[in-house]
Amino acid sequence: MKKILFVCLGNICRSPMAEAIFNHQVKKKGLMNYFLADSAGTANYHIGEDPDPRTIETVEKHHIAINHKGQQFEKMHAKAYDYLVAMDSSNRANMKIRLGNENKHIYLLREFDPKGYGDVPDPWYGGLKGFDEVYHILDRSIKEFMEFLQKKKIGD
Ligand code: 4NP
């Protein structure tokens, strides 16, 4: 079983949406015994909270279940997870600071985006349209990320 941790800032918009989409795609492919995703935020603002209502509305529109409580990214996550995946470069920089001397590769999700690269935009200050845009970025990037993970599994 490979465990993946998606990380954003608040852990109520992008990373719980990524977790839900990833676990949904895993289920669709029948790979539940191989991969499991969770999520965390670099900030402590929303610990214990449900995802943002706009996140819930967006994924449910696509018939995807979402069930997460906010947690903060900690050093111990580097040991507990096989893959750390940041939503944007500032998340990644903050994760590196928190990891200190714990040397662990941190992927940027959009390294896997067939249509681009860079940051998954933070939708927090905008409306539902921004959440929809994030959904599509995550959906296509996670499909590619999963291909990458499956290739690795064969090579293991
Ligand atoms: P997220 O979005 O990092 O995608 O969960 C945000 C959620 C909350 C805040 C910022 C970004 N906030 O400032 O509370």
Side-chain angles (χ1 to χ4, degrees), residues 27-92:
K27 215 165 157 183
K28 266 203 336 208
K29 288 190 165 201
L31 296 171
M32 295 86 79
N33 292 334
Y34 297 101
F35 302 116
L36 180 67
D38 192 2
S39 65
T42 57
N44 63 0
Y45 318 139
H46 301 285
I47 294 172
E49 289 181 23
D50 286 326
D52 187 283
R54 296 164 294 177
T55 306
I56 297 173
E57 184 175 338
T58 302
V59 296
E60 287 186 345
K61 208 159 63 191
H62 296 275
H63 311 287
I64 295 176
I66 183 159
N67 183 15
H68 180 77
K69 298 286 183 204
Q71 61 169 335
Q72 189 170 20
F73 178 73
E74 305 286 354
K75 197 170 181 171
M76 57 101 175
H77 285 123
K79 286 213 165 50
Y81 289 85
D82 300 288
Y83 294 91
L84 300 178
V85 185
M87 293 294 122
D88 68 34
S89 50
S90 102
N91 307 147
R92 181 157 75 173

Side-chain angles (χ1 to χ4, degrees), residues 89-102:
S89 50
S90 102
N91 307 147
R92 181 157 75 173
N94 288 324
M95 290 166 77
K96 278 188 180 156
I97 292 167
R98 190 132 323 142
L99 289 182
N101 58 5
E102 179 80 54

Side-chain angles (χ1 to χ4, degrees), residues 83-150:
Y83 294 91
L84 300 178
V85 185
M87 293 294 122
D88 68 34
S89 50
S90 102
N91 307 147
R92 181 157 75 173
N94 288 324
M95 290 166 77
K96 278 188 180 156
I97 292 167
R98 190 132 323 142
L99 289 182
N101 58 5
E102 179 80 54
N103 196 15
K104 176 104 177 169
H105 187 73
I106 303 170
Y107 293 88
L108 271 180
L109 182 62
R110 291 194 81 184
E111 289 171 36
F112 301 96
D113 185 349
K115 286 195 185 171
Y117 55 89
D119 295 340
V120 178
D122 184 346
W124 168 251
Y125 291 104
L128 268 176
K129 196 163 167 279
F131 282 76
D132 231 48
E133 187 189 333
V134 166
Y135 174 85
H136 291 291
I137 293 169
L138 297 180
D139 184 55
R140 64 179 188 250
S141 303
I142 287 170
K143 281 191 180 117
E144 287 294 315
F145 178 48
M146 202 158 318
E147 294 282 327
F148 163 82
L149 292 174
Q150 283 186 269

